[in-house]
Amino acid sequence: MTAAGFSVATPEAALDALFVPFTGGDLSLPADGRVLFLRARAGVRLRELARPGWLCEQSFLPFADELARCGLRVGEPAEGETFPLVLLLPPRQRDEARALFARALDLLAPGGTLVASMAKAEGAKSGEADLKQLAGSVASLSKHHCRVFWATPQPDAIDRALQDAWRALDAPRETADGWWSRPGLFAWDRVDRASALLAAHFPVDLGGRVADLGAGYGYLATQLIEHCPGITALDLYEAEARALEPARRNVVNALRAAGRDFPVSVHGHDVTRGLPQCYDTIVSNPPFHLGRADLPELGRAFIASAAAALTAQGRLLIVANRHLPYEALLTARFADVRQLAMQDGFKVIEARGVRA
């Protein structure tokens, strides 16, 4: 954790490959200097090439903060604004990626070029095929174990019906289990087993002001509302902006179903920066990886922020993969640490009594 939030690694290979068509002469940067970079990530090549007219869009707060610390302009396009060049790092989840291709074409000026880069192991072949299906002719090349592909579509070459259908894939939707969610969120179309295990071990006396850290689409919060009558206020914290609307819908539905009425707020916030107020109880299924790599430091950052925000007799309830080394930090920050459950490769831990 740093003063500006948790530092995470950039996918340098995909980012480097994205700019190969420009350095190799296949493509040129626009003369007016206006470039939109969707799902932008900070990196050496981006810092070298970016100009003041570039706009970086990133919905995940730690990544957005990293871009801003590099001096890049971060935000969203204005209503009706289009760009002669749109860069894109598509996500692995296919519905999410397809919706992003459709939106990228909405933001592309007539005669403009859309360029995307994906690791071969992360669905590059499917991504290239999808863009070709949507926009017509596509050029591509391979570099750094990635595939970079681009299109300069004529307006009549774009499959508008398909674009409409794919654009709608990003809208919040109800899953088969009745939760509001959207593709690409963590465990977006199911109840995560670790979260379900944690919810099953919520103490009956859990109450007061409660926070859910890394709330996702709000599953744990709905279980708190349903099963913990002592709660007087509930705050959900989530760093991925795309999760906020589904979370709001789920907690509203949970309050209505439970016949309860107390303050519930959903905050777009990077938990690793700390929390803005104190709590009697904090619950969390903290993230422990980005991409395919374990990153236990991220979970430890959640624990540190929770310890700093709990009242003196407050308690923390977390669930984690059994191999993650959280116990030493928990013991250092809390007087009483005990394991409530060990099941299916996960452990539920309760920590009480914050050490001064």
Side-chain angles (χ1 to χ4, degrees):
M1 195 163 73
T2 70
F6 191 82
S7 178
V8 293
T10 293
E12 292 288 355
L15 190 61
D16 286 350
L18 183 66
F19 296 111
V20 168
F22 301 97
T23 58
D26 297 283
L27 294 172
S28 299
L29 294 173
D32 67 2
R34 297 179 61 254
V35 175
L36 173 64
F37 191 175
L38 299 175
R39 298 295 171 89
R41 292 293 306 274
V44 174
R45 295 298 290 141
L46 178 59
R47 292 195 297 271
E48 290 174 348
L49 292 174
R51 298 295 180 264
W54 290 39
L55 176 63
C56 298
E57 182 180 282
Q58 173 56 253
S59 62
F60 186 55
L61 277 174
F63 296 168
D65 288 344
E66 188 177 17
L67 289 160
R69 290 196 299 272
C70 292
L72 297 160
R73 187 164 65 102
V74 183
E76 297 182 0
E79 183 71 27
E81 187 176 13
T82 59
F83 297 79
L85 176 62
V86 176
L87 305 175
L88 175 59
L89 294 175
R92 185 178 187 184
Q93 208 287 330
R94 198 166 190 181
D95 278 359
E96 184 187 6
R98 284 176 163 176
L100 203 56
F101 285 135
R103 180 166 178 264
L105 290 179
D106 287 333
L107 295 165
L108 190 65
T113 299
L114 168 61
V115 186
S117 177
M118 300 178 73
K120 291 180 179 179
E122 299 292 328
K125 185 176 180 180
S126 296
E128 182 178 352
D130 283 346
L131 182 58
K132 183 176 182 179
Q133 185 181 2
L134 184 62
S137 178
V138 172
S140 63
L141 57 83
S142 294
K143 191 73 172 179
H144 307 308
H145 302 288
C146 297
R147 193 83 176 158
V148 55
F149 45 96
W150 63 93
T152 307
Q154 297 299 315
D156 59 358
I158 299 173
D159 187 331
R160 298 298 180 183
L162 188 63
Q163 186 185 12
D164 290 343
W166 284 6
R167 190 188 298 110
L169 293 174
D170 189 49
R173 66 176 81 167
E174 278 194 282
T175 68
D177 294 326
W179 307 103
W180 283 98
S181 187
R182 70 201 309 175
L185 300 182
F186 172 69
W188 79 273
D189 58 351
R190 65 190 186 280
V191 173
D192 171 62
R193 289 184 301 145
S195 293
L197 181 63
L198 175 57
H201 288 83
F202 285 157
V204 294
D205 63 341
L206 188 154
R209 189 170 192 91
V210 179
D212 176 5
L213 309 188
Y217 64 76
Y219 169 76
L220 285 177
T222 66
Q223 301 309 292
L224 290 166
I225 291 168
E226 181 178 354
H227 298 292
C228 303
I231 294 176
T232 58
L234 176 60
D235 287 322
L236 287 69
Y237 292 97
E238 172 56 48
E240 174 51 66
R242 298 177 63 254
L244 302 182
E245 179 58 25
R248 291 187 183 101
R249 296 190 187 193
N250 286 324
V251 295
V252 166
N253 288 346
L255 286 168
R256 184 184 300 116
R260 305 192 65 188
D261 183 18
F262 59 84
V264 178
S265 299
V266 179
H267 307 275
H269 181 72
D270 179 1
V271 167
T272 68
R273 288 176 168 268
L275 300 177
Q277 53 189 310
C278 291
Y279 293 94
D280 300 298
T281 302
I282 291 176
V283 304
S284 185
N285 178 2
F288 65 90
H289 60 82
L290 288 170
R292 297 183 178 185
D294 277 7
L295 199 64
E297 293 85 357
L298 188 52
R300 285 195 283 262
F302 269 55
I303 292 170
S305 291
L310 281 165
T311 58
Q313 298 304 313
R315 58 182 164 181
L316 170 65
L317 291 156
I318 67 167
V319 64
N321 282 41
R322 64 186 302 170
H323 72 276
L324 291 173
Y326 293 156
E327 283 78 3
L329 176 59
L330 287 165
T331 301
R333 299 301 300 268
F334 293 90
D336 180 19
V337 178
R338 64 191 184 105
Q339 183 175 288
L340 301 182
M342 178 77 78
Q343 181 178 319
D344 299 328
F346 302 107
K347 56 189 175 185
V348 176
I349 301 173
E350 180 184 57
R352 288 175 173 262
V354 180
R355 296 186 187 276

